């Protein structure tokens, strides 16, 4: 199929959403999809692959062949371009997807072609497109350079609530804290470097969802009234029908499910929270001694207060940037396609013995029922 470049002025304005997992990106996607003329599909994995931003003749055959690409999110497994799980939900077949890829000369061109198809499939008007995949936050620079008419939205949530949610999915408290720091720091650095990056806090989004959505839509030239968005939101059967992660979702708006409302988890922010994280850290006597202070420091920078009675908060903050890079350095020896260290199976680890794996697991997961109980009391 011949390549058919789309004129720059005809490319669809695009909003890219990312953040730490369980930070409210799904809620924002639901809200954006309820703005007349703005559509948002499921998590497609189209903006979280470095090679996709080149969209050259080496990338396109690999994308069609469902090759898995490494991501910068250390907790994430490698991903294929375009999440095939949602072919049916987007009205595509594998041959039709191949046609869209083959006809495109750039990622913005592919997104425009897909958005036109997707809007036609759903029978709605198209003025702008949004894509939400949490690990998009690791590719803000590529997005801003490639999508000249785009806006990136970084959603930030209190790291203690994120950690609570992730522990319910099987992560240890230490893993959850590291994931939150890695993803938030990636978005924070991008927001400081690029003028088309907007940071919003989940708590503010929940408190005033429709006004906040109006502000986001205005970034791509769309005007809408909060009341109109609310009506569309409460009748949005497409978004309501997409699968949700039940372990971190509770009803919030009119029969739909979204990440936990912070008002329901205030008991998680108790005086012993950081002390619990410190207990997990030092239980094996090996974990990074700076993680707790760095976690507390980053919480404070986003205005998430630490009670003065929490003794751990009095640790002098270290430079969490250094901690972050040390974490990446320690993670670089791991097979990235298998995901974050603790999600790996010994048989999938090249050059690692079971003893080394168990030692790593003890180092990072290093937690007992007693320490986990302390963390959620």
């Amino acid at each position: 199929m011949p390549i058919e470049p789309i004129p720059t002025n005809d490319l669809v304005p695009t909003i890219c959403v990312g953040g730490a997992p369980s930070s409210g990106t799904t809620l924002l996607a639901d809200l954006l999809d309820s703005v007349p003329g703005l559509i948002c599909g499921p998590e497609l994995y189209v903006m979280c692959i470095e090679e996709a931003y080149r969209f050259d003749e080496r990338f396109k055959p690999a994308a069609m062949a469902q090759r898995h690409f490494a991501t910068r999110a250390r907790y994430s497994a490698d991903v294929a371009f375009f999440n095939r799980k949602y072919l049916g939900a987007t009205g595509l077949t594998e041959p039709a997807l191949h046609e869209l890829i083959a006809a495109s000369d750039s990622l913005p061109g592919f997104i425009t072609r897909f958005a036109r198809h997707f809007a036609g499939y759903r029978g709605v008007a198209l003025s702008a497109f949004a894509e939400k995949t949490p690990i998009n936050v690791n590719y803000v620079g590529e997005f801003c350079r490639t999508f000249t008419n785009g806006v990136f939205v970084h959603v930030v949530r209190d790291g203690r609530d994120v950690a609570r949610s992730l522990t319910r999915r099987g992560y240890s408290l230490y893993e959850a804290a590291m994931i939150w720091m890695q993803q938030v720091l990636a978005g924070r650095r991008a927001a400081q470097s690029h003028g088309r990056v907007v940071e919003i806090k989940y708590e503010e989004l929940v408190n005033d969802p429709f006004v906040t959505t109006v502000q986001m839509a205005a970034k791509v030239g769309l005007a809408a009234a909060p009341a109109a968005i609310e009506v569309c939101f409460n009748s949005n059967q497409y978004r309501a029908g997409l699968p949700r992660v039940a372990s971190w979702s509770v009803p919030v708006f009119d029969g739909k499910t979204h990440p936990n409302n912070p008002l329901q988890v205030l008991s998680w922010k108790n005086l012993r929270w950081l002390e619990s994280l410190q207990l997990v850290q030092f239980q094996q006597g090996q974990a990074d001694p700076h993680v707790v202070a760095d976690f507390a420091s980053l919480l404070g920078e986003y205005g998430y207060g630490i009670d003065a009675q929490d003794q751990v908060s009095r640790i002098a903050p270290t430079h969490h940037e250094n901690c972050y890079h040390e974490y990446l350095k320690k993670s670089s020896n791991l097979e990235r396609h298998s995901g974050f260290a603790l999600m790996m199976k010994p048989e999938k680890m090249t050059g690692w013995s079971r003893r080394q794996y168990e030692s790593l697991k003890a180092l990072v997961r290093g937690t007992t029922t007693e320490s986990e109980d302390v963390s959620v009391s």
Side-chain angles (χ1 to χ4, degrees), residues 278-287 365-368 370-371:
Q278 187 180 50
L279 174 63
V280 173
Q281 277 282 282
F282 291 101
Q283 197 168 43
Q284 299 295 319
Q286 300 173 343
R365 191 178 291 279
T367 182
T368 66
E370 295 171 346
S371 65

Side-chain angles (χ1 to χ4, degrees), residues 34-290:
S34 301
V35 176
L38 200 167
I39 58 174
C40 182
E43 294 185 9
L44 297 177
Y45 301 154
V46 293
M47 296 183 181
C48 57
I49 298 172
E50 182 178 355
E51 293 84 348
Y53 287 93
R54 293 193 287 271
F55 221 86
D56 54 24
E57 293 308 313
R58 294 182 59 188
F59 168 75
K60 295 199 287 187
M64 295 181 201
Q66 301 186 46
R67 172 191 155 190
H68 281 61
F69 297 88
T71 76
R72 294 174 187 160
R74 297 290 176 168
Y75 73 93
S76 170
D78 295 358
V79 298
F81 180 79
F82 202 97
N83 191 347
R84 295 322 200 264
K85 178 172 70 174
Y86 293 117
L87 278 175
T90 56
L92 282 173
T93 61
E94 189 70 26
L97 175 61
H98 288 191
E99 289 184 11
L100 292 179
I101 295 173
S104 303
D105 67 336
S106 66
L107 185 55
F110 170 83
I111 291 298
T112 296
R113 285 186 169 83
F114 169 74
R116 290 171 179 173
H117 157 82
F118 188 43
Y121 170 71
R122 292 177 56 183
V124 297
L126 173 66
S127 298
F129 176 76
E131 204 287 320
K132 183 278 295 188
T133 300
I135 60 176
N136 287 344
V137 74
N138 297 279
Y139 299 89
V140 180
E142 286 86 348
F143 173 81
C144 289
R145 288 190 294 271
T146 306
F147 288 79
T148 56
N149 62 350
V151 175
F152 192 95
V153 181
H154 176 210
V155 185
V156 182
R157 186 184 185 188
D158 190 317
R160 292 163 292 188
D161 291 329
V162 170
R164 175 181 185 269
S165 181
L166 292 180
T167 57
R168 294 169 63 186
R169 299 195 67 205
Y171 291 94
S172 76
L173 196 58
Y174 172 63
E175 290 174 293
M178 293 303 295
I179 289 170
W180 182 78
M181 283 197 293
Q182 180 199 17
Q183 299 301 90
V184 169
L185 284 169
R188 180 171 175 264
R189 285 195 299 273
Q192 294 170 340
S193 304
H194 300 280
R196 287 182 287 114
V197 178
V198 180
E199 285 192 312
I200 62 173
K201 294 169 90 170
Y202 168 73
E203 296 78 10
E204 296 171 356
L205 182 63
V206 169
N207 287 337
D208 205 352
F210 306 114
V211 170
T212 303
T213 305
V214 167
Q215 296 167 350
M216 293 300 103
K219 299 291 184 181
V220 289
L222 296 183
I229 296 175
E230 182 174 7
V231 169
C232 293
F233 180 85
N234 289 329
S235 60
N236 193 332
Q237 295 303 309
Y238 180 83
R239 293 292 309 183
L242 293 176
R244 310 281 169 154
V245 181
S247 63
W248 65 27
S249 299
V250 294
V252 176
F253 293 111
D254 196 30
K256 301 177 180 65
T257 55
H258 301 293
N260 292 314
N261 188 317
L263 298 179
Q264 298 172 326
V265 294
L266 290 178
S267 61
W268 178 249
K269 300 186 182 74
N270 58 69
L271 301 184
R272 296 176 59 82
W273 198 96
L274 291 176
E275 183 179 343
S276 301
L277 178 56
Q278 187 180 50
L279 174 63
V280 173
Q281 277 282 282
F282 291 101
Q283 197 168 43
Q284 299 295 319
Q286 300 173 343
D288 190 330
H290 302 308

